[in-house]
Amino acid sequence: MRIAKHDERCVGSGQCVLTEPAVFSQDDNGVVLLLTDRPEGPAAEGARKAVFVCPTKSLSIMED
Amino acid sequence: MSQTPTVDNVNDALGTAAEAADLPTYPVTRTCPYSAPPVYEEVRNGERPKKVRMQDGNPAWMLTRYEDVRSVLADPRFSADRLAPGFPILAPGQREGLSRQPKFMLSMDGKEHNDARRPVISEFSVRRVATMRPRIQEIVDDAIDELLKQPQPADLVKWIGHPVPAMMVAELVGAPLEQQPYFRDLTSRILAKGVTWEERFEISKTLRKFMDELIASKAENPGDDLLSRQIIQQREEHGEVNFEGLSALAHLLLFAGHDSSAGLISLGVYTFLTNPEQRAAVMAEPKERIPLAIEEMLRFYSITDIGAARVALEDVEIGGVTIRAGEGVIASVYAANHDPEVFENPGELDLLRGDRHHVAFGYGPHQCLAQNLSRLELEVVFETLFRRIPTLQLAVDVDELPFKYDSVVFGLHALPVTW
Ligand code: HEM
Ligand code: SF4
């Protein structure tokens, strides 16, 4: 599984960071930052939840 | 997914004010802190969006399913412009009040909204907010010191619920320390029960003047605060300062941040005091579990239910009805957060539930800018209060507590406690 982000839509809610801090962070501008784009194990599970809670659909999952 | 519309009023146009006379009214008055106002159930039983009558007699669509609420709030075909024709009137004087002040981001759409919000999101990132913890701890400890000096019973809303959020805003905007008590007292007075509309208007004018003077002084002498950083950034990027924009921002922080935090602080303390077993479970591992309890209180009470209103910019099909351009929509975050298809036993308060996909902070591009600051503030309040005053208890029967059934933001007018 691979995570992609769409920066231009991110509004800096931080929901992804709170949900899965092993995968998501925010840069100095408050915009989402990926710590890895191929999370595994529990982090992959957390990343799925984060994708679901993101208020602006700035995150997506590719099953490749 | 969307059902085939049957012969029902839902497939008609929204209709006129005259035709709205018999619709359920909205905002609704809550009747009990623990159960949904009847209209929510009534509306939900229909599943599809229903018509309700707003304060001014005009009809609006009310959405109650989690899925529908999230789609409306994330859909650019709905506008958040509170002055646009058709935008639901939530409170008397809404349009007049807002038309007298500079437009804030809450009322903006698309690029305009993005341009206003982007420059400030770094101020509220999870990392930045965490650096504010020591100062928040100080603010909370000071407020508790004051509470402990009062004769018992003392009102927790007055000594913690109102001053702590006010001080947080003062801190954000960088109000000088010597002016903070003045700012705190003025802000708290707006929320006090029994204050008249005229008084509120006067205080609000005074607060605007306070903020405008503060912004002017930061422009001359920038400090280490949100407003100063915006000023410096604007000068670098545009060569000048957008004073009107900053005034709107400062006012929005106060307007959006005070009543809401105050409401959840008082409801949260009430919740812990009236659910001793759940409280014991939470406080057994405060660091891990207080944040879970906060998410559940956000979901369960959904205190700003009526905040998330919109108006359609074009015809949109949603939940089996066509919402036409110009028609108003209430995306009920309360109802969404109690949708049985999404939350198991939604009517049950379970502080360890651990669900964080609720929409208490809204959804879409307007989702609460300061949500992580609010979470931290609540965490510090609950942790510190019950650690420092383990004997805290209600001074009156639950039946006597003045819940804000009639207010735009749910909460308590007062919470008398002893210790
Ligand atoms: C428990 C406390 C709070 C709750 C439940 C809450 C809830 C909300 C909700 C539902 C919205 C979205 C409204 C909409 O979509 O039309 C919102 C937006 C906003 N909130 Fe909060 N809020 C809280 C605390 C705060 C605090 C403490 C501040 C500031 C210090 C704040 C600042 C804002 C701002 C600036 C917006 C507008 C964001 C935008 O338009 O992009 N909120 N809040
Ligand atoms: S949850 Fe979405 S909007 Fe919020 S910070 Fe993460 S990517 Fe950005």
Side-chain angles (χ1 to χ4, degrees), chain B residues 245-364:
Chain B
L246 289 178
S247 173
L249 174 63
H251 218 67
L252 178 59
L253 292 176
L254 194 54
F255 166 83
H258 194 218
D259 208 2
S260 51
S261 298
L264 217 56
I265 288 176
S266 51
L267 285 172
V269 173
Y270 155 80
T271 303
F272 283 124
L273 292 180
T274 49
N275 294 276
E277 281 169 23
Q278 294 204 45
R279 173 183 155 195
V282 170
M283 296 305 170
E285 282 181 56
K287 205 165 169 297
E288 292 74 29
R289 294 184 178 173
I290 291 176
L292 300 183
I294 291 169
E295 295 306 318
E296 175 67 347
M297 291 173 191
L298 282 161
R299 179 196 73 83
F300 187 79
Y301 294 113
S302 299
I303 58 169
T304 58
D305 180 42
I306 76 173
R310 297 292 185 265
V311 56
L313 295 174
E314 47 186 277
D315 294 2
V316 181
E317 185 110 14
I318 208 153
V321 307
T322 303
I323 296 174
R324 292 185 166 76
E327 294 181 344
V329 178
I330 302 291
S332 170
V333 300
Y334 183 105
N337 285 338
H338 289 253
D339 185 337
E341 292 192 6
V342 181
F343 300 96
E344 211 172 303
N345 296 328
E348 191 183 306
L349 175 89
D350 173 3
L351 294 181
L352 300 181
R353 183 186 290 265
D355 281 343
R356 44 173 319 107
H357 56 288
H358 62 76
V359 287
F361 283 123
Y363 191 73

Side-chain angles (χ1 to χ4, degrees), chain B residues 179-301:
Chain B
Q179 289 179 13
Q180 290 192 358
Y182 164 79
F183 176 81
R184 176 193 65 206
D185 296 343
L186 201 57
T187 313
S188 301
R189 205 140 55 83
I190 284 206
L191 300 187
K193 196 171 165 61
V195 174
T196 64
W197 277 102
E198 292 91 88
E199 267 177 280
R200 259 183 220 161
F201 182 67
E202 281 311 308
I203 301 171
S204 171
K205 258 188 5 199
T206 314
L207 279 169
R208 183 169 292 284
K209 189 161 159 277
F210 178 90
M211 289 291 197
D212 287 346
E213 285 170 5
L214 184 64
I215 295 165
S217 83
K218 301 279 174 197
E220 272 186 24
N221 205 347
D224 181 18
D225 53 75
L226 181 153
L227 290 175
S228 298
R229 282 187 288 273
Q230 292 299 305
I231 288 169
I232 293 166
Q233 198 174 322
Q234 289 179 1
R235 283 199 174 122
E236 277 172 12
E237 285 172 19
H238 312 289
E240 58 181 5
V241 180
N242 175 359
F243 284 101
E244 198 175 274
L246 289 178
S247 173
L249 174 63
H251 218 67
L252 178 59
L253 292 176
L254 194 54
F255 166 83
H258 194 218
D259 208 2
S260 51
S261 298
L264 217 56
I265 288 176
S266 51
L267 285 172
V269 173
Y270 155 80
T271 303
F272 283 124
L273 292 180
T274 49
N275 294 276
E277 281 169 23
Q278 294 204 45
R279 173 183 155 195
V282 170
M283 296 305 170
E285 282 181 56
K287 205 165 169 297
E288 292 74 29
R289 294 184 178 173
I290 291 176
L292 300 183
I294 291 169
E295 295 306 318
E296 175 67 347
M297 291 173 191
L298 282 161
R299 179 196 73 83
F300 187 79
Y301 294 113

